[in-house]
Amino acid sequence: MGELREVGMAIESDVLVIGGGLAGATAAIEAARGGASVRLVAHKENTLRNASGLIDVLGYNGGDEPLVEPFEAIADLPDEHPYRKVGVEAVRESLALFDEIAGDLYEGGHTETNALSPTYGGRVKPTGRYPKSAAAGLASRTEDTLLVGFEIVTSFDAPLAAERLDSSVPFDVRGVTIRFPGEFRADARITRLATALDADELRDREQRLGTREALAARVAEYLGDAERVGFPALLGDDEHQAVREALETELGVPVFEVPMGPPSLPGMRLEDRLYEELDAEGVRVESGNPVVGYTADDGRITAVSVDRGRREVPYHAEQFVLATGGLVGKGIDSSREGVSEPVFDCHVPQPEERYEWFHDRVFDDQPYARFGVSVDDGLRPLDSSGEPEFSNLRAAGAVLGGYDMAREKSASGVSLSTGLVAGQRANEDLQ
């Protein structure tokens, strides 16, 4: 164990993880910490940069009211739910691993209760961990709030978000839309605005103001009695802490970021931190090349074929982890013929009648949201008869079925806990 090898055109390792998102990264880190040589291959950019950056454990369980104690609710989940497969202690252990890796980038590890974080749509979302940059905006704090949007960032309507938020929280919320300092293209991405704040680019040449001070000066005109200020999550990338601190110094009140949709700066920051840890643990990471086939013998996968453009290269391993995502990440495919898992053709339980895939009412509990591979307690995918597809394959994250991540607000927690257990089980089978 512990040595990555390249033999001729073949690639060899102890554990091969397919998928570079939160589940795949967690599985790879856990396996590497156990002494295995680990290689992670990913076809496309992972979904972290499209996610809010919030780490949800379990926000809802069938009702309209958010859960306060998510761990207590796990016992009430159906038997096929991934949390029931790995157990509540694995969920706690995976969050402890996350806290260690994320370090000062995140908060929330001091308690097992959910926090309520405002969203860019003006709602509050129950979450288990949240970026430090969002901490001052939690709804459990009661300071009157000013939300600031920018004309150039059309995805965040601050006055509308403030109106919605104000109707559901015990503090006053106002919203304003202003012009971001400087001249930018109308279609400038938020990453460009974050870069301007990172570098504190000179924007007001007459007064010699950098972007940070110029922004604070514009916000100060609308501050009034507000005791904290929220911005869309674009307050820098590499220098996000310095940007936020500079704005707080100028404005004299706490500043926070409101989690956004793609492209998500908090998601990108988390991605950077995870991949730094993968590198530190000696995991070999390859991206941009899809897995297009596999070979198996006597119920065990012996290798997968990776498309490297002009040739397919076999990647051999003793243990494999499938963490390719769900319907959104294309780890689960759907067509008129049915729903399938495209890498190993693992069985995906589904009603034969297409009309049973969904309910007519959009916001009903939709069956298709739970589509994914079914697994045993060791996270080995099961065939249609309930037997493991392969003895040395485990699945983790959104490729799993049996839960509705969007409705439950459980995506990150499932990815972390199943990724952790998949990495552990793969390592145990190497012994």
Side-chain angles (χ1 to χ4, degrees):
M1 279 180 34
E3 182 182 355
L4 289 161
R5 300 170 293 278
E6 298 194 16
V7 184
M9 290 182 63
I11 310 296
E12 297 183 2
S13 58
D14 292 330
V15 178
L16 181 71
V17 178
I18 307 169
L22 190 57
T26 303
I29 290 168
E30 186 66 16
R33 287 188 172 192
S37 63
V38 183
R39 189 178 296 268
L40 183 151
V41 295
H43 179 200
K44 301 177 181 178
E45 289 183 341
N46 66 68
T47 55
L48 286 170
R49 60 186 53 233
N50 296 325
S52 67
L54 297 172
I55 301 298
D56 304 331
V57 179
L58 186 63
Y60 297 89
N61 186 19
D64 294 331
E65 292 298 317
L67 293 171
V68 176
E69 303 282 352
F71 294 98
E72 292 184 2
I74 289 177
D76 298 326
L77 295 171
D79 290 343
E80 64 270 18
H81 196 288
Y83 280 157
R84 296 295 303 276
K85 299 291 184 180
V86 300
V88 66
E89 289 309 313
V91 182
R92 288 193 174 95
E93 187 181 349
S94 69
L95 286 166
L97 174 64
F98 176 84
D99 292 338
E100 177 196 336
I101 295 170
D104 62 358
L105 193 63
Y106 273 74
E107 294 188 7
H110 64 290
T111 177
E112 289 194 346
T113 61
N114 276 326
L116 294 176
S117 174
T119 70
Y120 68 98
R123 310 302 184 192
V124 290
K125 180 181 182 182
T127 189
R129 301 290 188 274
Y130 43 89
K132 185 176 182 179
S133 64
L138 295 183
S140 56
R141 300 176 55 154
T142 58
E143 296 99 327
D144 291 346
T145 303
L146 174 66
L147 297 182
V148 176
F150 302 113
E151 295 171 356
I152 201 171
V153 183
T154 58
S155 57
F156 181 51
D157 186 332
L160 178 59
E163 181 182 348
R164 290 173 174 171
L165 192 60
D166 187 67
S167 66
S168 61
V169 294
F171 50 84
D172 292 332
V173 188
R174 293 184 290 114
V176 62
T177 300
I178 65 174
R179 188 170 66 86
F180 193 88
E183 299 298 328
F184 294 91
R185 291 173 42 171
D187 61 347
R189 292 170 65 87
I190 66 170
T191 48
R192 174 66 186 95
L193 307 184
T195 299
L197 287 164
D198 266 349
D200 200 16
E201 295 175 1
L202 189 63
R203 287 297 164 187
D204 190 331
R205 296 187 180 277
E206 255 184 51
Q207 299 186 42
R208 306 296 296 174
L209 294 181
T211 306
R212 302 174 191 179
E213 191 176 352
L215 175 57
R218 293 188 179 184
V219 173
E221 299 177 22
Y222 301 93
L223 186 60
D225 295 331
E227 300 167 284
R228 54 181 170 174
V229 180
F231 295 87
L234 54 74
L235 300 183
D237 187 7
D238 294 334
E239 301 297 327
H240 57 92
Q241 183 170 334
V243 170
R244 200 171 66 257
E245 289 175 352
L247 292 173
E248 288 180 339
T249 298
E250 294 292 330
L251 293 170
V253 297
V255 165
F256 65 93
E257 290 185 314
V258 178
M260 299 284 291
S264 168
L265 266 299
M268 293 179 193
R269 296 168 196 154
L270 176 56
E271 177 187 34
D272 289 343
R273 185 64 63 90
L274 283 170
Y275 277 73
E276 287 169 5
E277 186 65 22
L278 286 167
D279 184 62
E281 294 295 343
V283 177
R284 186 74 60 85
V285 177
E286 299 181 25
S287 60
N289 300 311
V291 174
V292 294
Y294 70 94
T295 57
D297 181 38
D298 195 25
R300 289 179 61 85
I301 300 166
T302 56
V304 297
S305 299
V306 176
D307 185 352
R308 284 191 168 182
R310 295 186 178 181
R311 67 185 189 277
E312 293 183 12
V313 178
Y315 281 50
H316 294 268
E318 293 297 317
Q319 298 291 322
F320 295 83
V321 176
L322 180 68
T324 45
L327 287 165
V328 174
K330 302 301 182 183
I332 298 294
D333 278 347
S334 63
S335 67
R336 289 186 177 276
E337 284 68 47
V339 183
S340 61
E341 185 281 302
V343 176
F344 299 105
D345 195 27
C346 293
H347 174 63
V348 179
Q350 60 200 271
E352 290 186 12
E353 174 56 57
R354 287 281 303 262
Y355 288 104
E356 295 180 17
W357 289 14
F358 60 91
H359 298 306
D360 290 338
R361 295 176 53 150
V362 174
F363 296 106
D364 279 355
D365 188 359
Q366 298 291 349
Y368 65 79
R370 301 177 182 273
F371 286 172
V373 300
S374 179
V375 294
D376 63 13
D377 290 346
L379 298 182
R380 292 179 299 178
L382 301 175
D383 62 21
S384 58
S385 65
E387 296 298 319
E389 299 264 13
F390 305 99
S391 62
N392 61 338
L393 173 66
R394 287 174 173 80
V399 74
L400 297 172
Y403 75 118
D404 184 342
M405 68 181 75
R407 193 178 184 87
E408 297 172 357
K409 309 302 180 193
S410 61
S412 297
V414 167
S415 289
L416 286 168
S417 58
T418 57
L420 176 100
V421 171
Q424 290 175 340
R425 296 290 186 270
N427 234 324
E428 289 170 5
D429 282 1
L430 291 170
Q431 308 301 321

